[in-house]
Amino acid sequence: MRKIYKGIPVSSGIAVGKALVLADQETLVIKRNIPEESLETEVKRFQAAVEKTKAEIKEMQGKVKKEAGGKHSGIFEAHLMILSDPMLTTAVEKHIRADKLNADYVFANAISGLIQSFESIEDDYLKERASDVKDIGKRVIKNLTEGKQETLADLKEEVIVFARDLSPSDTVTMKREKVKGFCTDLGGKTSHTAIIARALEIPAIVGAQSVSLQVKDGEPVIIDGLLGIVIVQPGEEDLKHYKGKLEEFLKQKIQLSKLKDLPAETLDGYKVELNANIEIEDEAKFVLKHGGTGVGLFRTEFLFLNRKDLPTEDEQYTAYFLAAEYLYPYPVIIRTLDLGGDKFLSHLGLGREENPFLGLRAIRLCLAKPELFKTQLRAILRASELKNIKIMFPMISGIEEFHKAKHILEEVKTELRKKKQKFDDAMELGIMIEIPSASLTADILAKEVDFFSIGSNDLIQYTLAIDRVNSNMAHMYNPLHPAIIRQLKRVVDAAHKEGKWVGMCGEMASDTAFSALLIGLGIDELSTAPVAMPEVKKVLRATTMVAAKKIAEDVLRLSTLDEVKAYMSIVNKGDCKYCK
Ligand code: PEP
Ligand code: MG
């Protein structure tokens, strides 16, 4: 039966195809339909995997008992008890038969439900048991898949992916040729998953409530990444409508691509630096394809995801050098590691945090692990021989943190000089302004850095206290809040007073609804998703700097979000009094 769902559109485009549904698990588990005649074999496969897991646990228990004595082996008893509980195993068998689904998927979802129940218990001891359940889940799934777990990079057919949530590392492995679009129940517009979807130009919707539980494997679906609409079992009319909409979308893309070689310049001749955000060095190609003149943000942490070890200095050097060489003579701003938050790396041995966005993230992690930081800095410095690389530190909260990070950079430079290793000694060093404590002290920071780049994604999150990946709060995440606009003005003024330039690399810079306001506030550089560059350029080329400044002055006088929204909606309709 035809059904329509609504979510948050995060990556434009239309996709028509077949659904591939993933279970709610850290590891990738695909939902598959099982024919009636194979259901008993599927149940037996599940029972065998449970028995195998029990045998493995007993073996480990024996080993630990021998080596460390009986007191530590209790944990295994608990694991065995969970696996022998018919509430879990019988329920899974029942679901396999009733829903005619694969054991991996049914079991993964059952485990996920169990984890959530444990996590919601107030008692700390019982809360901790959630990690035991996770552990068991992983073991049984490994045995069910015989260790040959699929990834989104292995897909053989074209699909539209549905999942409760997708991590940025899952998303970055997607192949554009196979994944025509995706839709998740959770997530916000500036989550790194959404950012990657735009980078890969995959139509995507997030925050679509519980659609992943409703849609069936292989069902025909349409994803409208422009409006955030998902249609399951579309009818003839839908297919016809979307065929036309897709043609229109592609036509517009071709029109926009004609702007590629024109400058990002206002009608009255003000030139805006228009750069791109990239996550992997390969994306450098998209920058030129979409008419960019450099990289305003290279999110280097993506080199660290989806692998079991850390990238070596040489691997990092190669990635940075290739991007800089490909884009030469254009600038490439390399942001040092921003791991943490929604980009978690289990093999750093840091453990999960209660509030990862407020935890050991980005520069804090680098300062806590100086060797990790130094390796990256060495790789960046070595890659700078063409002199078009700049370094930028993320999540700087104040001048002391900047001093600490800069001190380590100086140590690495001294080391390289001793080794007679060439690097660009005059390389610019900037920081991201994405924490209110940095914007409030921008006057102090501006004296010592070469440039600022405003990370609006985090600046909004930390100023308004809205988790950027929480779909329930997405309606309150608004870049036009007066608290944000005032901070932007403050940061620009502080930088310009010291003769420094200011960019913006958060998603606010990619949204054409804000382009005039941002340049009117004095932002010198906009760094956007490659795909957004032509649209932003088009808007800039139809604006005058005189009007943009007046718009910014007016907006700064408004006191409520609703007033700013109403004012900007008039501007974006082209009806503002300065736009005539
Ligand atoms: C930002 O916070 O705006 C930003 C560009 O960094 P990231 O999205 O990687 O946190
Ligand atoms: Mg950020």
Side-chain angles (χ1 to χ4, degrees), residues 108-276:
N109 273 356
I111 281 287
S112 154
L114 211 53
I115 292 170
Q116 276 168 26
S117 333
F118 273 109
E119 280 177 344
S120 62
I121 299 174
E122 281 306 319
D123 183 297
D124 278 348
Y125 175 79
L126 288 175
K127 214 180 220 159
E128 292 274 304
R129 301 287 64 81
S131 54
D132 293 340
V133 179
K134 260 186 210 164
D135 198 37
I136 294 166
K138 277 192 196 143
R139 284 180 191 284
V140 175
I141 288 167
K142 190 177 120 263
N143 285 331
L144 272 169
T145 54
E146 290 164 357
K148 290 185 223 107
Q149 211 145 350
E150 287 174 271
T151 73
L152 288 175
D154 309 324
L155 297 173
K156 305 275 179 307
E157 305 176 75
E158 288 186 1
V159 292
I160 295 177
V161 173
F162 285 80
R164 178 119 185 97
D165 201 5
L166 284 169
S167 69
S169 26
D170 287 333
T171 317
V172 82
T173 59
M174 286 182 180
K175 294 266 178 301
R176 181 72 182 89
E177 314 84 69
K178 298 292 178 219
V179 180
K180 302 315 248 180
F182 74 77
C183 174
T184 60
D185 300 352
L186 305 178
K189 202 169 184 138
T190 62
S191 66
H192 286 96
T193 296
I195 289 170
I196 295 294
R198 287 191 283 279
L200 298 176
E201 299 179 31
I202 297 179
I205 295 171
V206 302
Q209 312 295 332
S210 61
V211 60
S212 79
L213 295 176
Q214 319 293 331
V215 65
K216 296 197 181 69
D217 177 49
E219 259 188 322
V221 284
I222 296 177
I223 291 236
D224 178 346
L226 298 154
L227 294 177
I229 292 172
V230 183
I231 308 180
V232 178
Q233 300 268 14
E236 279 304 313
E237 276 302 302
D238 296 318
L239 292 169
K240 204 167 131 211
H241 171 73
Y242 276 101
K243 190 166 172 266
K245 200 165 172 182
L246 181 59
E247 275 165 16
E248 186 52 35
F249 175 73
L250 296 175
K251 225 195 283 169
Q252 269 179 21
K253 261 189 141 174
I254 294 172
Q255 280 306 110
L256 282 169
S257 69
K258 295 192 179 141
L259 297 175
K260 181 176 165 282
D261 298 318
L262 298 175
E265 193 176 298
T266 60
L267 288 168
D268 46 356
Y270 177 85
K271 261 212 166 102
V272 182
E273 220 36 71
L274 185 57
N275 289 333

Side-chain angles (χ1 to χ4, degrees), residues 358-371:
L358 301 180
L360 199 58
R361 183 186 164 192
I363 200 70
R364 304 167 180 187
L365 173 72
C366 287
L367 294 176
K369 294 209 165 265
E371 279 317 313

Side-chain angles (χ1 to χ4, degrees), residues 338-569:
D338 182 4
L339 283 170
D342 57 352
K343 290 167 291 193
F344 181 70
L345 206 60
S346 52
H347 51 274
L348 274 182
L350 296 167
R352 291 276 184 184
E353 296 172 293
E354 277 281 324
N355 290 305
F357 276 110
L358 301 180
L360 199 58
R361 183 186 164 192
I363 200 70
R364 304 167 180 187
L365 173 72
C366 287
L367 294 176
K369 294 209 165 265
E371 279 317 313
L372 177 77
F373 193 32
K374 281 185 168 177
T375 306
Q376 180 175 44
L377 292 173
R378 264 195 304 274
I380 301 175
L381 287 166
R382 281 175 50 206
S384 70
E385 62 195 82
L386 295 174
K387 301 193 192 306
N388 61 334
I389 287 180
K390 304 178 206 285
I391 294 189
M392 170 160 84
F393 297 141
M395 289 266 297
I396 290 287
S397 62
I399 195 74
E400 292 95 337
E401 216 167 23
F402 175 68
H403 285 158
K404 282 186 195 152
K406 188 173 173 188
H407 179 73
I408 296 182
L409 176 66
E410 289 306 324
E411 274 180 10
V412 175
K413 283 187 179 177
T414 309
E415 217 181 89
L416 290 181
R417 278 187 207 106
K418 270 195 204 140
K419 285 193 195 150
K420 306 246 178 304
Q421 169 69 49
K422 280 201 192 130
F423 63 89
D424 178 10
D425 219 343
M427 187 194 293
E428 281 186 41
L429 173 62
I431 60 167
M432 291 194 65
I433 299 284
E434 48 185 349
I435 301 185
S437 59
S439 77
L440 288 165
T441 53
D443 53 331
I444 303 169
L445 290 158
K447 290 191 172 57
E448 300 199 29
V449 303
D450 294 316
F451 64 91
F452 287 152
S453 184
I454 300 172
S456 56
N457 305 337
D458 279 314
L459 189 63
I460 297 168
Q461 149 164 277
Y462 296 129
T463 303
L464 304 181
I466 307 281
D467 179 349
R468 62 193 267 194
V469 301
N470 185 339
S471 47
N472 294 330
M473 299 313 298
H475 62 289
M476 282 183 68
Y477 185 100
N478 201 314
L480 291 179
H481 193 292
I484 304 300
I485 310 294
R486 279 156 192 248
Q487 278 185 92
L488 300 184
K489 167 86 172 124
R490 187 188 181 103
V491 171
V492 168
D493 287 351
H496 287 178
K497 187 158 173 253
E498 298 298 331
K500 310 292 166 65
W501 63 268
V502 186
M504 175 179 279
C505 58
E507 294 303 299
M508 187 177 183
S510 293
D511 192 331
T512 53
F514 309 131
S515 307
L517 174 63
L518 293 177
I519 61 161
L521 285 166
I523 303 229
D524 306 291
E525 177 235 27
L526 297 174
S527 190
T528 76
V531 67
M533 271 189 293
E535 294 163 29
V536 172
K537 194 188 274 185
K538 185 175 169 201
V539 171
L540 292 174
R541 290 180 59 81
T543 310
T544 63
M545 192 56 175
V546 174
K549 279 194 174 139
K550 293 250 193 309
I551 291 167
E553 279 166 22
D554 282 357
V555 167
L556 282 164
R557 275 193 289 268
L558 301 174
S559 39
T560 69
L561 171 60
D562 282 346
E563 284 167 356
V564 182
K565 277 188 346 201
Y567 181 94
M568 288 308 292
S569 127

Side-chain angles (χ1 to χ4, degrees), residues 238-336:
D238 296 318
L239 292 169
K240 204 167 131 211
H241 171 73
Y242 276 101
K243 190 166 172 266
K245 200 165 172 182
L246 181 59
E247 275 165 16
E248 186 52 35
F249 175 73
L250 296 175
K251 225 195 283 169
Q252 269 179 21
K253 261 189 141 174
I254 294 172
Q255 280 306 110
L256 282 169
S257 69
K258 295 192 179 141
L259 297 175
K260 181 176 165 282
D261 298 318
L262 298 175
E265 193 176 298
T266 60
L267 288 168
D268 46 356
Y270 177 85
K271 261 212 166 102
V272 182
E273 220 36 71
L274 185 57
N275 289 333
N277 297 343
I278 64 169
E279 284 70 32
I280 43 175
E281 73 274 15
D282 262 8
E283 265 184 273
K285 300 198 260 300
F286 293 129
V287 181
L288 298 185
K289 178 182 145 202
H290 291 296
T293 50
V295 165
L297 167 65
F298 185 164
R299 288 187 166 94
T300 56
E301 53 280 3
F302 282 86
L303 294 170
F304 288 66
L305 301 178
N306 292 317
R307 46 187 298 159
K308 294 201 169 60
D309 51 3
L310 296 172
T312 62
E313 182 184 316
D314 279 349
E315 279 175 85
Q316 293 188 59
Y317 159 81
T318 307
Y320 309 147
F321 182 76
L322 287 179
E325 186 188 40
Y326 187 82
L327 289 165
Y328 183 81
Y330 296 128
V332 175
I333 302 182
I334 301 188
R335 174 177 78 180
T336 57

